[in-house]
Amino acid sequence: MQKLDELYRGKTKTLYNTDDPLLLILEFRNDISALNGQRIDKFCRKGMINNQFNYFIMSKLEKFGVLTQIEKLLSQSETLVKKLDMFPIECVIRNRAAGSFVKRFGIKEGFYLNPPIFELFLKNDCQNDPMINTSYCKTFKLVKKKYLSQIQKLTYQINEFLCNFFLKSDLILVDFKVEFGLYDNKIILGDEFSLDSARLWDRSTLDKMDKDIYRQNRLGLIEAYEAVLKRLDIQLT
Ligand code: UDP
């Protein structure tokens, strides 16, 4: 597999073309960003941690029956992935109130949301990823109705599976964001599932073990990410 030119450079990851038109190389960099890119920093080891955490979780999801873009772990910070035709939406599930939800509704952080809340956001950095709903998807032709209902169902299934999975390691899955795309007319989980895109709390202390440590300007981000890996018995290569 030959790594070719850069296809897309995001805030924390880069996609490269390969000599196979159906496959891309996804590289996780050491960068981290908050406030829609207004704050950017670098953390040593973060790229390799996120790459291998993402690969581990996506592999678990594949075994559970979710189709994902991952093909092969290529190196410490790179994974070979399918080239998807991505939907321009972000799907968020919230099991507990946190982050923007707390600000929007004035609800106390940690409040149980039962059944979990499903939210949609438009992928549009210039407009700060505004919240949308099924009506927006229809009017702006973002996702076909049949795909959207499958995407919502899949996101809930991923949530149920991962909630139980993390709980076995005494971790609470507070919320997360996922993105999907089409490949061969099938809906495939793309982008990433990492501690940058999900909130995980310690079950007993409710300590945050995710990107909120950075968002809140606290120390110990990488230590927390590594503690999660240790709990899940993920050995870094
Ligand atoms: N999230 C993400 N990318 C975004 C926005 C949110 O991965 O551009 C994730 C975030 O890590 C959290 C969930 O989606 O797990 C809900 O985020 P929220 O809406 O609370 O936004 P935030 O507090 O990050 O601004």
Side-chain angles (χ1 to χ4, degrees):
M1 179 60 51
Q2 222 191 319
K3 187 173 176 179
L4 301 178
D5 54 315
E6 189 177 300
L7 173 69
Y8 173 78
R9 187 181 167 92
K11 290 190 277 268
T12 60
K13 305 187 293 293
T14 310
L15 278 168
Y16 295 90
N17 286 308
T18 69
D19 50 2
D20 184 336
L22 301 177
L23 299 175
L24 300 173
I25 292 175
L26 174 63
E27 183 203 11
F28 288 77
R29 305 193 312 270
N30 282 340
D31 304 285
I32 191 163
S33 83
L35 303 170
N36 195 21
Q38 286 175 50
R39 246 183 93 201
I40 299 175
D41 285 288
K42 266 191 203 301
F43 282 89
C44 196
R45 291 173 64 80
K46 182 175 164 290
M48 62 184 275
I49 291 172
N50 278 14
N51 180 45
Q52 293 179 53
F53 181 83
N54 176 62
Y55 184 80
F56 178 87
I57 297 294
M58 293 270 180
S59 305
K60 292 278 170 204
L61 287 169
E62 280 275 358
K63 277 196 197 130
F64 170 62
V66 176
L67 299 176
T68 79
Q69 68 173 351
I70 56 157
E71 286 283 316
K72 193 178 168 211
L73 190 66
L74 285 183
S75 71
Q76 286 188 323
S77 55
E78 293 168 312
T79 298
L80 187 66
V81 298
K82 294 184 186 73
K83 183 175 185 173
L84 310 183
D85 187 10
M86 296 301 289
F87 297 112
I89 57 167
E90 298 187 343
C91 305
V92 169
I93 289 261
R94 299 179 187 276
N95 296 302
R96 300 237 202 167
S100 69
F101 187 87
V102 166
K103 287 192 203 130
R104 224 178 315 133
F105 294 100
I107 288 176
K108 201 168 172 275
E109 185 179 70
F111 186 85
Y112 277 105
L113 302 167
N114 189 21
I117 284 179
F118 175 81
E119 292 176 344
L120 286 170
F121 297 87
L122 178 67
K123 272 188 81 67
N124 185 331
D125 279 345
C126 302
Q127 297 299 322
N128 279 320
D129 295 349
M131 194 172 175
I132 55 169
N133 60 29
T134 50
S135 173
Y136 287 71
C137 290
K138 195 172 175 188
T139 301
F140 294 126
K141 298 186 175 54
L142 304 171
V143 193
K144 283 191 183 141
K145 197 177 166 189
K146 63 166 184 179
Y147 290 141
L148 191 58
S149 55
Q150 280 182 56
I151 283 173
Q152 177 164 355
K153 201 170 150 202
L154 261 172
T155 311
Y156 270 115
Q157 286 169 349
I158 290 169
N159 182 51
E160 204 180 323
F161 172 78
L162 289 181
C163 275
N164 292 326
F165 174 75
F166 286 124
L167 209 54
K168 284 187 210 143
S169 301
D170 290 323
L171 293 164
I172 298 170
L173 180 59
V174 173
D175 60 26
F176 64 90
K177 183 266 302 173
V178 279
E179 297 180 25
F180 296 90
L182 281 179
Y183 183 91
D184 208 7
N185 256 326
K186 287 195 272 289
I187 293 179
I188 311 284
L189 177 62
D191 193 52
E192 69 180 304
F193 187 100
S194 75
L195 295 165
D196 285 2
S197 62
R199 288 190 169 95
L200 276 183
W201 293 353
D202 177 87
R203 187 186 192 172
S204 46
T205 61
L206 303 185
D207 281 348
K208 296 176 170 66
M209 305 186 76
D210 54 60
K211 193 176 137 182
D212 268 352
I213 295 172
Y214 173 74
R215 291 189 187 97
Q216 297 170 359
N217 277 306
R218 293 191 288 118
L219 297 172
L221 180 86
I222 294 301
E223 289 76 2
Y225 280 28
E226 286 185 326
V228 170
L229 261 61
K230 196 169 171 205
R231 278 200 205 190
L232 299 175
D233 206 19
I234 303 173
Q235 324 263 341
L236 290 181
T237 59

